[in-house]
Amino acid sequence: MHHPGPPRFMAVGESIQLAPRDPDPEATYRWRIRSAPVSSAADPPDDEPVIDFAPDAAGTYELELDAPERTHTLTVRVFPGARRPTGPGTGSSGESGASGPSGESTTPSGQSGEAARSGSGAGAGGGRGRGRPRLQLYGSVEGDELVVRADPQPHPESGTDRDDVAVEFLVDDRDDVDESAVVVAGRELRIPIAAVGDRVRVHGVAVGDAYSVPDTIEFSREIVVDGGDGVTLRPDGGCSSAARPDGDAASDAEEASFTVIRPNDPPAWALDVTLYEIYVRGFAGEDGSGSESASGEVPESVFAAIEDRLDYLDDLGVDCLWLTPVLENDHAPHGYNITDFFSIADDLGTRGDYERFVEAAHDRGMKVLFDLVLNHSARDHPFFRDAYGNPDSAYYDWYDWRDDGEPETYFEWEYIANWNFENLAVRRHLLDAVDTWAEIADGFRCDMAWAVPDTFWQELRERVKARDPDFLLLDETIPYIADFHDGMFDMHFDTTLYFTLRQVGRGDAAAAEILDAVEQRAEVGFPPHAAFMLYIENHDETRYVVECGDDAAMAAAGALVTLPGVPMLYGGQELGQRGRRDALAWDHARESFHRHYDRLLDLREEIPALGPAGEFSRVDYEASTDRAVAFLRELDGHAYCCVLNFGEPPATVTLPERVVDPTDYVSGDPLATAGGLEVDDVAVFRVE
């Protein structure tokens, strides 16, 4: 394989780490520039397999990578520095340092929602920056041509007309295409079918004040044998069902056509689920596997104890589980300091126990996400112990080191050490781990995604999607980064909404700022097809009810199921649990919380407009307190007004739209009063 991946779009002043894919650590790789803009003096080292490429002039570069089997070409389109995206939501990953992208605010001073080194995310306030546009590509097969059309959207606050947003395309260097046959006219690209092999990928960006997050269309040849079922050739050279093994072109008895794939779209199943995070060493209850479970028996492993609660989660409406790390570690209960990337932690059970748990979840229609930790190892990892203070160790170059001989890390965390991604052996080791766990997972929740190079995530994505196109990749990036939807991740932690909900819950911000937070997704440049995970707490944060109180917690629960995105509950959240990582107090659950969540999750299923297809918009309203907010969700001509009240006294809200029925869908009670609709915490009304 070894090709460094898709063509790149970037600007002068940016840099990108480039590396051979699926590397052989013992092989020799060399980089050089085959062609560059006349004014460029860029000259990457030719004796390093992994390079940081920093173009110094606008134009198109062609880089070459000599690999064992052949020489590969990579096209890089570079825009002037003035078109470099800046402001909230922009940036790259994989830079070592004491703080890193996750530890500092990208919110300009004075904006609402600042978060300086809090780990809570950037606040709402918009994507001021350089007015970054957005782009979505559409593909079709028309007669004997493959057609890509671009839909550019100017930045919501830029004032730029859509007609003034340009579009640029690049055809993937890896594909068999006669590029002389490619015709581009404005926002449309056409390729004769006769000019392509089994697959062609077309990448594009919108260009206005800045360039957009790229999007991609893939055309894959489908072979229909003797009028039978179609077989789409997959990116790894395999196919989606049983097919001719020779891979030759279609014969006279076969008809060849193309299917259109949007590789940057999230899996359809992932858009309409309720996620649930399980802190594995506390979820089952006191003492984990040693305690009596819900069935009244003592489970044989922690996984068996968690499995014993699956029926409860199923009844609640959960259909996707995220387990905190399950690999061997340094005995810190959170599990993120890993000592063996290929073995299940002894205190949790065996690999067989884990596989049985996953199978039991699948039997109930639940997906399971594996918590993937790639930025670092524990300092107790045998490779680090061998390397520490020993420059002659075979593993010394596996880690990033400071001048004082200590390993690079983030936030001065003392029990971990950052991997050195410039070392091919590290990449090989981690890719092998990815292959191992992708076999028994439906997706990865990717820890500290901002701390791993972008190009490694892009390689990982293509690797797992070749095996299973519906595999989900969810990034933890604080604050979120729009570019992480460029062939890396399907779904993103909505850190901005998280932080805003905390501010509103504490009474430090008006509830209307929640609407700003949702709209910020577009303002920072996320494309229309990006998906977001909504949350109010997790294992790293103080419980919302502890920080903000019961009333705000009830309203925040309503926000998770009525705002656009995928709701995530942290284990015990629905029980009113107050301890962040304590064993769940199943016998002391607060029934008012459980009933509230149970009803809200049912409501999301009952009203499709609250789901992924429902449109979100503002609505004119008046409220008796700034701790209340209202907004609309609409689908197929059905409109609903959602009202959230984070304050203790009921809020009186008036709406200009005619309320079809003042009966609240959440409580089932009529809430009309002489002054308007009276809402305790969350209410949903049908409107015209």
Side-chain angles (χ1 to χ4, degrees), residues 476-504:
E476 181 211 28
T477 302
I478 305 174
Y480 56 28
I481 297 174
D483 287 288
F484 276 30
H485 210 82
D486 175 18
M488 287 179 263
F489 297 98
D490 301 303
M491 188 179 296
H492 316 274
F493 277 45
D494 195 332
T495 53
T496 294
L497 181 60
Y498 163 83
F499 186 69
T500 303
L501 286 169
R502 288 272 173 156
Q503 284 188 307
V504 173

Side-chain angles (χ1 to χ4, degrees), residues 323-603:
L323 274 63
T324 52
V326 299
L327 297 182
E328 196 63 76
N329 59 82
D330 64 359
H331 306 301
H334 53 71
Y336 285 91
N337 305 342
I338 295 172
T339 59
D340 184 344
F341 284 76
F342 297 87
S343 298
I344 295 293
D346 289 341
D347 64 316
L348 300 181
T350 66
R351 175 168 174 148
D353 294 329
Y354 178 67
E355 292 183 356
R356 281 188 289 275
F357 164 77
V358 173
E359 183 178 353
H362 287 170
D363 288 344
R364 293 164 174 82
M366 296 178 181
K367 305 287 188 179
V368 179
L369 303 186
F370 185 95
D371 204 328
L372 188 69
V373 184
L374 294 185
N375 165 251
H376 58 266
S377 79
R379 296 197 192 193
D380 274 351
H381 194 292
F383 295 174
F384 181 81
R385 291 203 307 267
D386 189 79
Y388 186 61
N390 179 20
D392 294 328
S393 166
Y395 300 107
Y396 189 82
D397 289 338
W398 283 51
Y399 292 92
D400 259 343
W401 299 99
R402 301 189 321 214
D403 292 340
D404 63 0
E406 291 298 313
E408 287 284 10
T409 183
Y410 289 91
F411 314 119
E412 303 300 328
W413 288 336
E414 58 182 324
Y415 298 112
I416 65 170
N418 289 358
W419 292 118
N420 172 21
F421 279 86
E422 294 182 1
N423 186 320
L424 293 185
V426 170
R427 289 173 173 257
R428 177 78 272 152
H429 185 75
L430 296 178
L431 288 172
D432 290 345
V434 165
D435 291 346
T436 296
W437 302 113
E439 292 180 356
I440 49 175
D442 302 294
F444 290 144
R445 177 268 184 187
C446 299
D447 183 61
M448 294 176 63
W450 46 268
V452 173
D454 294 359
T455 50
F456 189 84
W457 288 127
Q458 289 176 325
E459 176 178 5
L460 182 153
R461 179 185 181 86
E462 289 195 6
R463 194 177 188 92
V464 298
K465 296 285 188 175
R467 172 187 166 274
D468 178 8
D470 286 331
F471 199 88
L472 176 67
L473 292 170
L474 167 65
D475 70 339
E476 181 211 28
T477 302
I478 305 174
Y480 56 28
I481 297 174
D483 287 288
F484 276 30
H485 210 82
D486 175 18
M488 287 179 263
F489 297 98
D490 301 303
M491 188 179 296
H492 316 274
F493 277 45
D494 195 332
T495 53
T496 294
L497 181 60
Y498 163 83
F499 186 69
T500 303
L501 286 169
R502 288 272 173 156
Q503 284 188 307
V504 173
R506 295 192 305 265
D508 295 336
E513 292 198 18
I514 292 170
L515 309 181
D516 299 335
V518 174
E519 292 173 348
Q520 188 189 354
R521 302 169 184 173
E523 292 169 1
V524 303
F526 278 103
H529 45 277
F532 296 87
M533 187 195 79
L534 314 185
Y535 66 110
I536 60 173
E537 61 191 47
N538 59 35
H539 65 277
D540 283 328
E541 307 289 351
T542 303
R543 293 281 187 174
Y544 192 95
V545 68
V546 171
E547 183 173 331
C548 304
D550 287 5
D551 298 294
M554 292 292 195
L560 294 181
V561 300
T562 59
L563 290 170
V566 173
M568 189 279 283
L569 279 62
Y570 174 43
Q573 179 177 324
E574 79 285 4
L575 306 177
Q577 180 91 6
R578 298 179 65 83
R580 182 179 55 155
R581 297 180 182 175
D582 297 350
L584 292 197
W586 290 101
D587 295 335
H588 302 283
R590 299 176 65 185
E591 285 302 318
S592 59
F593 273 77
H594 186 270
R595 286 195 304 269
H596 189 60
Y597 273 96
D598 194 45
R599 174 58 191 143
L600 288 172
L601 294 178
D602 284 346
L603 187 67

